[in-house]
Structures are given as C-alpha cells and as structure tokens.
Amino acid sequence: MCGAGPAGCVVAERAAQVLGWKVLVVDRRPHLAGNCYDSKHRSGVLIHNYGPHYFRTNDASLIRYLSRFTDWIPGNYIVKSLVGGQFYPFPINLHTLEQFFDLSLNAESAEQLLRTKRIACPAPRNSEDFVLSKVGRELYEAFYLNYTRKQWALHPRELDPGVCGRIPVRLNRDDRYVEHRFQIMPKRGFTALFSRMLRHRKVRVLLDCDFREIQSLVTPRRATLYTGAIDAYFDHRFGRLPYRSLDFQFERHDVEFKQPCVQINFPNDFAFTRSVEIKHVTGQKHPATVLSYETPRAGGEPFYPVPNAANQALYERYRALAEETTRRDRVYFCGRLAQYRYFNTDEVILEALQCFAKIKKECAVLRQSALSRR
Ligand code: UDP
C-alpha cells in the first residue's frame, strides 16, 4: 500500500475493516492525509498546509461513510475576486454582473445581457471557448484569462474546457463557491479524519519513507495500492507527465479575521493567485488568524494534473501499462496523481471505494480459483 492521502487511507481502512487484511500504509511525506493535510500553525491557528480543501458532495452515502470518522460543521465557502481594485463575488452571479456592468438586473435581463456578450461555440474544445461561450470576452478577460495563465503557465486555449468549467456561472444571487448538496467540513479537520480512519489494529503506517526503499523488503500477500504519480511508477519511460505545483506563504495577523471571506482571487495582480484565510471555514475560535498566499510553480510537489489532450494521450499510454500491471501483479492505481485526473476530495474518496470493491472482487476470484485447483 503506498500513499497515506485520501485514496490510500480509504482503501486501507476498508481492507482492514471489511476483509480483515493486515495493511501497511507507506508515505514519502512525514504526515498523513496527503494534500488534505491540515495542522496547527505556530500561532496555534489551524491551517490547510497544501491549499484550501472545501469539502462538498452530492452523495449522501459518502457522508454516511465518512461520518464514522468525523463530526461535521457547515462549510461556508465564499470567494471574492479582486478586479480593477474592486472586490466582486466569484463565481460570477447576478451581483457580479450588476457591479461589473453597473446595471440593475434580474435573471431574465441578465440572460439577455449575456446573450449579447456570448461568443457562440456549440462544442467548446478548450477553456477559452468554454468561458467565451458562457459570458463573453469582457468577463473572460477580467476574471479568467490571467488567473488561468498564472495558475497553469498555459493559455486557457491550451486547457480542457473542464478546467474553467469547474466554476459555475449563476443568474441568481447565490454567492457560494460551489453548488453541491452537502457543503461541510470535518469538525476537527482532515488530518484528524484520516488518522481516525487508520486507527485500526490491522493497519500499520510508515511515514517519511519512499515505498521504493522498502519495496524489496515487503511482499504483499494480496494486493498493492499505488497513489503516487503514474509516470514515476514506470520510471517516466514514455516521458514525463506535467504536474502543476504551488508555493505557500503563510502570514500571521493578530486580529480575529483579516479578510471578508475565506478566499480572495487576484486574477490580474501579483504573482500569487489567491489568499486563503481558512479560519473562515474551520470554525476555530482564536484571537489570531493566518493567511496563505499561493504562487503556482512548475516542479516541486505535484498537486494538479494539467488537463489537455496531449497530456491525456500520454497518460493513456501509462494507463495501458498500469492495467497490465494490475492484472499481472495486483498493483492498483488510484487517486489524483495515479489516475492523472483533477479530482476533488469527495471524488477521490468515491474512486477509492470503487477501487476497493474491484480489489475485493478480483481477490475473491483468485482465491476461488486457487481453492478449486487444490
Ligand atoms: N479560475 C479562473 N479565475 C478564478 C478562479 C479560477 O480563471 O478566479 C480558473 C483557473 O483556470 C483555475 C480553474 O478555474 O485553475 C479552477 O479553479 P478552482 O478554484 O476550482 O481551482 P482549485 O481550487 O482546484 O485550485
């Protein structure tokens, strides 16, 4: 088992709890929870060390599963974007449109206005076409173009429509960042949630250890889960898949809250893309607060796959190898880095549950055929 992020923790927990397997979880980093890792900053303020994780899902059964390991508090995911010196609600909604175009609008008149702005594109093939076809050029240039260039070091034209398509456009006054049915945060944080998941007498955790260091020392009896970068597993034999990374700068302030909301985006100014005051959503009471500034970078810890056709084609070559490896060696590939997909946390957990179901089924078949051979 490799990786103590969400995918690794879920499969480990299920394998121990449901199948009674002994599980070894190995992670290169010195902590659990992967990029969901949260911890106390030296000020005592709880921070998300690798960027904000706004937990949301439409899936009630997922909440039921996770509720075994955590209580919840409401998520209050509000984002504003600083454009031309003014803060705008983001994603774009009726308030944003009114403020941007200096008009009074309702859903109908906003729709009419956007009709005059949109640039028709029946089947957008990239993020630029997608946004232009939703809101037209002025809003695209104000809110999306430069943010996207900073975040990815690519033009929106070079990215799949789904990248900017993650952000809804609303003709109502709903100012939440996302629209999911459940928008909640683990009450004591993500690290506490995933630690609780691994607190099982059959699970051992080895941190600060690259799995390659112990690979020759451990012989998995039943299956291996790999959640690292897929190209690294195969020694980059077809070339490197690009991943985008971030630098975080944390800043303490001796006030209860510094920003009006959890996240402020800076599409057109500064090298950083956003400032995050996660205290708005962790529910922590503390006299101080911490802001984190995110500056995108190439290299470093891989955080995001870079979704476009060329990278997908390269990934497909690795995926074919991975499928062969699964069949031959029972090594399963799951998670953002191993599947090269821009998953959210809830999606990764669902993928991990599916992966576990597959492992369970395939191991049962193998056992059955071993028994019948006896
Ligand atoms: N995006 C943008 N302007 C913004 C926020 C996001 O153009 O103010 C685009 C950008 O390309 C970004 C993508 O939408 O990478 C997805 O944004 P999201 O906030 O979901 O990114 P994440 O939180 O996963 O980094």
Side-chain angles (χ1 to χ4, degrees), residues 4-6 27-39 46-54 151 190-191 244-250 274 276 278 292-295 300-304 336 345:
D27 202 294
R28 192 168 43 77
R29 292 195 279 194
H31 58 74
L32 292 182
N35 289 337
C36 287
Y37 178 61
D38 48 20
S39 69
L46 185 66
I47 54 170
H48 285 194
N49 295 62
Y50 303 106
H53 286 75
Y54 303 139
Q151 169 69 18
F190 285 98
T191 308
R244 196 74 176 143
S245 190
L246 298 169
D247 273 339
F248 300 94
Q249 199 196 327
F250 293 94
R274 56 190 181 185
V276 174
I278 205 69
S292 91
Y293 292 88
E294 293 184 18
T295 307
E301 198 68 50
F303 291 139
Y304 299 89
R336 221 188 223 207
T345 309

Side-chain angles (χ1 to χ4, degrees), residues 64-353:
R64 273 198 300 280
Y65 168 64
L66 292 175
S67 299
R68 297 176 200 181
F69 315 107
T70 186
D71 294 329
W72 302 96
I73 55 173
N76 184 25
Y77 314 143
I78 305 288
V79 175
K80 294 197 188 294
S81 185
L82 184 71
V83 170
Q86 285 193 51
F87 290 109
Y88 290 86
F90 193 81
I92 292 171
N93 66 19
L94 269 186
H95 286 299
T96 323
L97 294 171
E98 287 185 325
Q99 197 181 333
F100 192 81
F101 293 109
D102 197 15
L103 291 169
S104 258
L105 294 167
N106 57 31
E108 255 168 52
S109 54
E111 172 58 30
Q112 271 168 15
L113 172 75
L114 285 183
R115 245 185 249 149
T116 67
K117 306 278 178 197
R118 287 182 189 133
I119 298 172
C121 181
R125 290 222 304 264
N126 59 56
S127 271
E128 178 177 69
D129 287 352
F130 180 87
V131 179
L132 289 177
S133 71
K134 285 258 179 209
V135 297
R137 187 163 296 280
E138 290 145 284
L139 291 162
Y140 164 70
E141 288 182 355
F143 291 93
Y144 291 88
L145 174 62
N146 295 327
Y147 187 105
T148 300
R149 293 177 98 142
K150 244 197 288 190
Q151 169 69 18
W152 303 97
L154 291 173
H155 193 281
R157 239 179 267 136
E158 299 170 284
L159 291 159
D160 283 351
V163 174
C164 288
R166 287 167 59 82
I167 312 289
V169 174
R170 302 192 185 107
L171 299 188
N172 59 30
R173 297 186 190 276
D174 180 357
D175 62 355
R176 297 170 310 162
Y177 200 52
V178 291
E179 318 207 295
H180 299 68
R181 191 169 150 216
F182 304 100
Q183 302 188 24
I184 49 181
M185 291 290 281
K187 189 171 177 187
R188 291 183 321 109
F190 285 98
T191 308
L193 186 168
F194 290 112
S195 309
R196 178 70 195 78
M197 219 178 233
L198 293 190
R199 206 180 310 139
H200 190 287
R201 66 194 167 80
K202 297 250 175 181
V203 177
R204 293 278 178 280
V205 181
L206 187 55
L207 297 175
D208 221 349
C209 173
D210 192 313
F211 89 102
R212 291 198 188 268
E213 288 171 29
I214 56 142
Q215 207 175 10
S216 60
L217 306 173
V218 181
T219 314
R221 296 235 315 269
R222 305 195 189 276
T224 303
L225 180 78
Y226 176 80
T227 63
I230 189 167
D231 55 333
Y233 187 88
F234 295 107
D235 298 320
H236 311 284
R237 77 175 68 163
F238 301 135
R240 282 182 186 266
L241 277 166
Y243 296 88
R244 196 74 176 143
S245 190
L246 298 169
D247 273 339
F248 300 94
Q249 199 196 327
F250 293 94
E251 229 177 66
R252 172 199 174 133
H253 295 269
D254 287 313
V255 289
E256 209 181 341
F257 286 103
K258 178 80 179 161
Q259 297 187 168
C261 55
V262 65
Q263 183 176 315
I264 297 187
N265 291 355
F266 303 95
N268 307 311
D269 310 291
F270 314 116
F272 46 85
T273 50
R274 56 190 181 185
S275 65
V276 174
E277 186 174 27
I278 205 69
K279 198 178 165 211
H280 281 278
V281 300
T282 57
Q284 190 187 15
K285 303 273 175 276
H286 196 288
T289 190
V290 173
L291 262 56
S292 91
Y293 292 88
E294 293 184 18
T295 307
R297 57 174 288 197
E301 198 68 50
F303 291 139
Y304 299 89
V306 182
N308 66 25
N311 298 340
Q312 184 62 25
L314 179 54
Y315 164 67
E316 290 300 336
R317 297 183 68 194
Y318 282 113
R319 186 164 78 156
L321 268 186
E323 282 173 1
E324 203 183 299
T325 309
T326 306
R327 274 194 302 275
R328 193 186 56 230
D329 302 331
R330 279 172 288 129
V331 178
Y332 293 80
F333 294 77
C334 185
R336 221 188 223 207
L337 304 179
Q339 293 175 270
Y340 205 67
R341 284 269 297 281
Y342 192 171
F343 288 131
N344 292 325
T345 309
D346 62 318
E347 295 166 334
V348 170
I349 296 174
L350 288 168
E351 282 294 319
L353 290 169

